[in-house]
Amino acid sequence: MTTGAVDTTRELAAFLRARRERLDPDDFGLPARRRARRTPGLRREEVAELAGVSTEYVVRLEQARGLRPSVEVLEALSRALRLAPDERAYLFDLAQQRPAHGSRPVAVAPPELVRLLADLSPLPAMVRNHRNDILAWNPEMARVIVDYGEVPVRQRNGIWLFLFHPEVRERYADRDERLRECIADLRATWAAHPDDEELAERIDEFVSGSAEFAAMWADRDVRVHGSGAKTILHPEVGRFTVDFEALVPVQHPDHYVVIYRAADPVSRAALHQLCGGAGR
């Protein structure tokens, strides 16, 4: 299984099929059919009816036969398939109906963001790019997760570390859930950067090197996680939970400043022990 640069027509077809097959016909109040369903989810003709398009049109879309849906059709399909906001954005990206992001190199954190990390201390913070490459970090983030300076540059990627780094693999109590969220986020990024060959090569590396990544990637979950919580298992201070925020600088839209804060008093004490005052 390889990914390559995004073949948007085929991925659009696969995504529509996957979302159609996840729907429960009982949730739509559709008339009962005389014969039992042989496949899960809604039928193509049912999606067509809900979206106000022809069944032949839906068939051609799902067979990747070169259609480029209009904004109006995409809106109708989004409603018919009950897509979540991030899934809807993914659909529009695949149909090339949203302005594409540039794929300019972003291998170095801008100096002003590096200075911001220092100003954020003692809160753990880092800068990553849209590929999840970790470009800069403050000492507190290194204490909480891993000393990124000791990690080879090629491996200094959030998902690579999740999958393959022995310390980071054991760092999260809720690792499977966090990994699934990262992959759902990565899929949205992949569609938004269809010409980013480096990103596509990285995904191929993950698919071929990790069975768990390959299985989760095949689920085609799409969701952008700009905030949330992570439960850390730390060898020095034990178990604690951080709330995180991923902020996008206006001048650097392909960079993310990720900030950790303690989620509760116990976690505040643990972070204070590790980082000094990070529970504020």
Side-chain angles (χ1 to χ4, degrees):
M1 178 178 178
T2 59
T3 304
V6 182
D7 183 334
T8 53
T9 301
R10 291 186 180 278
E11 178 58 22
L12 177 66
F15 183 65
L16 289 174
R17 286 196 303 271
R19 286 299 167 270
R20 175 173 61 81
E21 292 171 357
R22 287 190 178 189
L23 296 173
D24 185 344
D26 293 338
D27 292 339
F28 288 80
L30 296 171
R33 306 293 179 179
R34 292 182 178 178
R35 58 186 176 83
R37 293 174 183 267
R38 291 177 294 180
T39 57
L42 296 184
R43 294 187 174 96
R44 287 168 172 165
E45 59 266 29
E46 292 168 336
V47 171
E49 180 182 347
L50 290 167
V53 298
S54 70
T55 301
E56 174 62 18
Y57 191 88
V58 174
V59 170
R60 291 179 66 189
L61 280 175
E62 290 195 3
Q63 291 179 349
R65 286 161 58 186
L67 295 179
R68 184 183 179 189
S70 67
V71 170
E72 292 76 16
V73 169
L74 293 172
E75 291 284 8
L77 288 170
S78 297
R79 291 192 297 269
L81 296 171
R82 299 187 176 180
L83 299 185
D86 292 333
E87 294 172 328
R88 176 185 173 279
Y90 184 67
L91 180 67
F92 272 68
D93 280 332
L94 291 174
Q96 301 176 48
Q97 293 288 11
R98 291 205 309 176
H101 294 268
S103 56
R104 64 188 183 282
V106 284
V108 178
E112 59 268 33
L113 296 186
V114 175
R115 292 194 298 271
L116 176 61
L117 296 183
D119 292 339
L120 286 168
S121 293
L123 294 176
M126 64 180 171
V127 174
R128 65 173 179 84
N129 63 14
H130 69 272
R131 302 181 189 119
N132 231 305
D133 297 324
I134 298 165
L135 307 180
W137 58 92
N138 61 14
E140 291 81 4
M141 182 62 81
R143 293 189 195 110
V144 170
I145 303 300
V146 72
D147 185 351
Y148 298 106
E150 297 297 321
V151 177
V153 173
R154 174 65 182 167
Q155 299 172 7
R156 206 175 291 162
N157 175 279
I159 296 180
W160 192 98
L161 294 169
F162 247 120
L163 293 172
F164 304 118
H165 193 285
E167 286 184 52
V168 178
R169 284 180 59 89
E170 302 299 323
R171 187 67 82 234
Y172 297 93
D174 46 1
R175 178 182 174 277
D176 288 350
E177 182 179 353
R178 298 285 78 78
L179 178 59
R180 186 170 292 279
E181 288 181 353
C182 286
I183 293 173
D185 201 316
L186 181 63
R187 182 167 279 279
T189 298
W190 179 59
H193 298 79
D195 300 320
D196 189 337
E197 294 182 1
E198 183 175 339
L199 177 62
E201 291 171 1
R202 177 70 81 169
I203 294 170
D204 280 344
E205 175 188 353
F206 297 154
V207 169
S208 61
S210 169
E212 63 178 340
F213 181 96
M216 292 183 186
W217 182 256
D219 287 339
R220 288 187 163 81
D221 289 335
V222 182
R223 186 180 176 190
V224 177
H225 296 85
S227 61
K230 300 180 181 183
T231 300
I232 307 293
L233 301 175
H234 200 280
E236 295 180 33
V237 298
R239 184 187 184 107
F240 63 92
T241 301
V242 295
D243 294 324
F244 71 89
E245 294 284 345
L247 309 178
V248 182
V250 172
Q251 297 299 321
H252 305 285
D254 274 348
H255 292 79
Y256 301 82
V257 179
V258 182
I259 305 169
Y260 286 0
R261 299 192 67 181
D264 52 62
V266 172
S267 301
R268 187 174 299 113
L271 272 182
H272 183 84
Q273 183 175 341
L274 275 177
C275 305
R280 67 182 184 188

